[in-house]
Amino acid sequence: MKPDQLLKPAPAGLYCPAGDFYIDPVRPVARALITHGHSDHARAGHGAVLATRETLDIMEIRYGEDFCGSSQAAAFGERIDLNGVTVSFHPAGHVLGSAQIAVEKDGLRIVASGDYKRGADPTCAAYEPVPCDVFITEATFGLPVFHHPEPKAEMGKLLTSLKQFPERSHLVGAYSLGKSQRVIRLLRDCGYDLPIYIHGSLARLCDYYVSRGIDLGDLRPATLEKGDPTDFRGAVIVGPPSAFADRWARRFNEPLIAFASGWMMVRQRAKQGGVELPLVISDHCDWPELTETIRELAPSEVWVTHGREEALVRWCELAGVPARPLHLVGYEDEGD
Ligand SMILES: [Zn+2]
């Protein structure tokens, strides 16, 4: 069997004709396998959904309990037969519950890695390399200029700023699934044990992380209605970046806007967003991680899904690994 008979790009997403299922479809389908809970990968309205327990729970939190017709939880490493095709889920190290999906038939194995990273992250299971014939990778930061620094060093910048500007409320923008919990956990690991205030839209996901054993310390709602803005003097407030563009943010005491994202490597992006303190913290691979992963797996072929496809395809060709872009549309890297 040729790889593109087992899995091929279709308008709704990656499709397996033999198993009759899609991976991370961008429109409603009869059977979907979902790599992780970010909204560009996990959409509501499918018939049957197969995903990790955490991803199913996250989808329910975001979309309500009728987010799909029926659901089945896949444990990491469990082999599941779908119409003669074997599928299994393996940790991707991206956000809580995130998985790579291995698809196998007649001795051919394709791994769709979804979004993944190699760096340490105590809020989710670490990426596990899965040997395969074809490796499907994203390329969100697929240019040699992207080198992500050590996350704890970035957190150190926030702690330094809190000492320098003890009067100012430090507003840290971080996407609601994955990044905000990671930022809070990183702060705790750097010894910050004061209460951390969170925007209301993060509450349910933070509670869920805590219920799965990820200690986030003392979290409190960042509500101004009752108190005085000076209540939040020198405090850390975490919220989605969108909340910081509106009136909510301006009500805090001399707000200092920080933003935790892999894109903060790009100075222009920080400037345009009015970000005073950019924190380069990414849940995606940087260029060295992407290329080292391909070297380590040594697949016979690489398919690149979304991001900077061309540069990574070119790198693979120079390294002697056949590669091609899949030109899948609809993935916006919400999580970074
Ligand atoms: Zn993601």
Side-chain angles (χ1 to χ4, degrees):
M1 179 178 264
K2 283 187 178 163
D4 49 11
Q5 288 175 298
L6 184 56
L7 215 51
K8 62 178 189 185
L14 271 176
Y15 179 60
C16 174
D20 193 20
F21 61 82
Y22 287 85
I23 295 177
D24 290 353
V26 296
R27 58 181 78 155
V29 300
R31 180 181 286 279
L33 277 57
I34 307 289
T35 59
H36 67 288
H38 280 146
S39 56
D40 49 341
H41 295 260
R43 296 173 194 249
H46 303 307
V49 170
L50 177 62
T52 63
R53 175 78 269 150
E54 290 88 348
T55 295
L56 293 175
D57 290 343
I58 288 164
M59 289 176 81
E60 187 177 327
I61 288 169
R62 301 189 118 183
Y63 304 129
E65 57 186 30
D66 57 352
F67 70 89
C68 66
S70 66
S71 66
Q72 182 185 345
F76 284 137
E78 180 188 358
R79 295 171 67 79
I80 296 167
D81 182 275
L82 296 175
N83 306 317
V85 176
T86 303
V87 300
S88 54
F89 288 61
H90 307 270
H94 177 57
V95 297
L96 184 62
S98 65
Q100 313 171 70
I101 298 175
V103 178
E104 298 175 57
K105 190 176 169 60
D106 302 338
L108 175 74
R109 185 191 286 157
I110 303 181
V111 169
S113 55
D115 289 343
Y116 67 106
K117 71 172 177 292
R118 306 299 304 266
D121 178 352
T123 66
C124 63
Y127 169 93
E128 281 176 15
V130 182
C132 53
D133 301 291
V134 178
F135 184 59
I136 306 180
T137 181
E138 50 126 337
T140 303
F141 294 106
L143 285 176
V145 295
F146 290 114
H147 287 252
H148 297 144
E150 176 58 40
K152 276 192 177 173
E154 294 298 289
M155 269 303 135
K157 292 180 188 169
L158 177 61
L159 295 171
T160 302
S161 177
L162 286 161
K163 284 200 191 92
Q164 264 175 340
F165 306 106
E167 295 294 306
R168 301 184 68 182
S169 300
H170 285 60
L171 271 57
V172 183
Y175 288 105
S176 58
L177 170 60
K179 188 60 60 64
S180 54
Q181 295 80 17
R182 188 178 179 207
V183 161
I184 292 166
R185 186 62 245 169
L186 271 167
L187 270 169
R188 300 307 187 199
D189 289 340
C190 290
Y192 187 84
D193 55 9
L194 295 171
I196 293 174
Y197 297 87
I198 57 170
H199 184 268
S201 64
L202 305 185
R204 289 192 70 200
L205 284 168
C206 287
D207 286 348
Y208 181 67
Y209 268 62
V210 171
S211 79
R212 302 302 289 189
I214 293 139
D215 183 9
L216 300 177
D218 185 356
L219 298 185
R220 299 184 189 180
T223 37
L224 284 167
E225 281 73 16
K226 295 165 203 148
D228 193 292
T230 56
D231 288 353
F232 295 94
R233 204 181 287 167
V236 173
I237 298 128
V238 180
S242 55
F244 293 170
D246 66 26
R247 275 187 15 233
W248 183 80
R250 292 197 290 273
R251 293 162 63 194
F252 288 97
N253 197 55
E254 301 176 58
L256 186 152
I257 307 288
F259 185 22
S261 163
W263 294 111
M264 289 299 98
M265 268 225 40
V266 184
R267 269 173 201 283
Q268 203 54 33
R269 287 225 189 184
K271 250 187 178 172
Q272 279 167 358
V275 176
E276 203 171 327
L277 182 63
L279 303 169
V280 185
I281 298 175
S282 175
D283 286 327
H284 292 267
C285 286
D286 63 4
W287 178 259
E289 287 175 86
L290 286 171
T291 54
E292 280 157 26
T293 301
I294 293 167
R295 272 211 189 91
E296 179 182 353
L297 294 173
S300 29
E301 214 175 305
V302 169
W303 297 350
V304 186
T305 55
H306 58 286
R308 308 292 182 282
E309 294 106 315
E310 304 304 334
L312 193 60
V313 165
R314 183 85 187 112
W315 180 90
C316 289
E317 284 165 353
L318 291 171
V321 183
R324 65 181 173 104
L326 291 183
H327 300 301
L328 293 179
V329 294
Y331 301 102
E332 313 287 341
D333 57 75
E334 174 216 355
D336 234 71

